[in-house]
């Protein structure tokens, strides 16, 4: 059992490393690794990370302009899990918002999902996930010509951080704020 646990950690970690590369090839490389990790997690009945892994794979597919793959991954998430609220639901909602923008190009649905994600993250005290939702909503608002609203929204979350300013998300938020100014 300990060996199986180590295998799961290694397989899932490798998939996450591919996702972190943020390159178009990451999806085709990460999906087989993550699929094997998900299979092992299911076999061990340890599926707490499944929603987050599937959501992040979907986000990578969206970034690689592979909408059908993103939809399929989110459908897997829905079919594998009847529990609608997890520790990572805020992140899943955010990715659903990205999916609404990428396929149907439904900015109203996306905005609603980003707002729900931010509200749930705030309720859970998950400031990093609240920031990610705020960045997505700020980009959407800016694209709608609502620059001031985008800046106020993002600054409101960004200014609550007291440390970690060299992390990827905070660097991205700072860059987005400069871009919006």
């Amino acid at each position: 059992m300990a060996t199986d646990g180590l295998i799961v950690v290694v397989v899932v970690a490798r998939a996450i490393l591919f996702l972190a590369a943020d390159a178009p090839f990451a999806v085709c490389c990460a999906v087989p690794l993550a699929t094997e990790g998900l299979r092992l997690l299911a076999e061990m009945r340890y599926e707490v990370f499944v929603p987050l892994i599937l959501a992040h794979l979907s986000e990578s597919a969206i970034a690689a302009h592979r909408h059908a793959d993103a939809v399929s991954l989110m459908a897997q998430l829905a079919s594998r899990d009847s529990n609608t609220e997890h520790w990572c639901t805020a992140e899943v909602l955010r990715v659903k918002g990205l999916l609404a923008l990428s396929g149907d190009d439904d900015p109203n649905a996306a905005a609603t999902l980003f707002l729900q994600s931010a509200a749930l993250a705030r309720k859970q005290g998950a400031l990093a996930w609240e920031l990610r939702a705020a960045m997505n909503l700020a980009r959407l608002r800016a694209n709608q010509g609502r620059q001031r609203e985008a800046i106020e929204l993002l600054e409101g979350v960004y200014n609550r951080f007291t440390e970690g300013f060299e992390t990827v998300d905070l660097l991205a938020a700072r860059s987005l704020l400069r871009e919006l100014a």
Side-chain angles (χ1 to χ4, degrees):
M1 186 65 141
T3 304
D4 288 345
L6 182 58
I7 291 169
V8 170
V9 169
V10 169
V11 170
V12 173
R14 288 175 76 189
I16 290 169
L17 286 173
F18 276 113
L19 293 174
D22 197 27
F25 67 87
V27 175
C28 46
C29 296
V31 169
L33 289 170
T35 301
E36 177 61 10
L38 293 169
R39 185 192 67 73
L40 290 168
L41 288 171
E43 188 177 291
M44 296 172 61
R45 297 173 198 242
Y46 189 78
E47 299 193 51
V48 68
F49 293 107
V50 168
L52 186 62
I53 292 167
L54 288 172
H56 282 200
L57 285 170
S58 181
E59 182 176 13
S60 291
I62 292 165
H65 306 290
R66 295 176 61 167
H67 181 75
D69 290 336
V71 169
S72 174
L73 288 160
M74 291 307 277
Q76 283 182 52
L77 191 152
S79 71
R80 288 176 72 140
D81 191 10
S82 59
N83 184 357
T84 58
E85 191 162 315
H86 294 278
W87 61 276
C88 62
T89 298
E91 190 69 348
V92 171
L93 288 169
R94 184 187 66 80
V95 174
K96 285 182 179 181
L98 292 173
L99 193 56
L101 284 178
S102 77
D104 300 332
D105 193 25
D106 187 346
N108 291 330
T112 298
L113 288 160
F114 294 148
L115 287 167
Q116 289 173 346
S117 171
L120 182 57
R122 192 175 315 111
K123 177 181 171 188
Q124 293 176 330
L127 188 56
W129 283 348
E130 186 179 353
L131 178 70
R132 297 185 94 200
M135 285 192 296
N136 290 130
L137 185 56
R139 277 190 203 94
L140 175 60
R141 292 299 187 228
N143 290 339
Q144 295 171 328
R146 298 161 67 178
Q147 210 81 1
R148 175 80 345 257
E149 181 182 343
I151 292 169
E152 289 173 4
L153 168 80
L154 187 51
E155 280 180 341
V157 178
Y158 182 84
N159 290 336
R160 290 179 21 225
F161 280 86
T162 59
E163 61 186 4
F165 292 101
E166 298 307 314
T167 61
V168 173
D169 285 339
L170 284 169
L171 289 170
R174 186 178 325 138
S175 175
L176 181 56
L177 283 167
R178 273 191 233 117
E179 181 185 316
L180 294 172

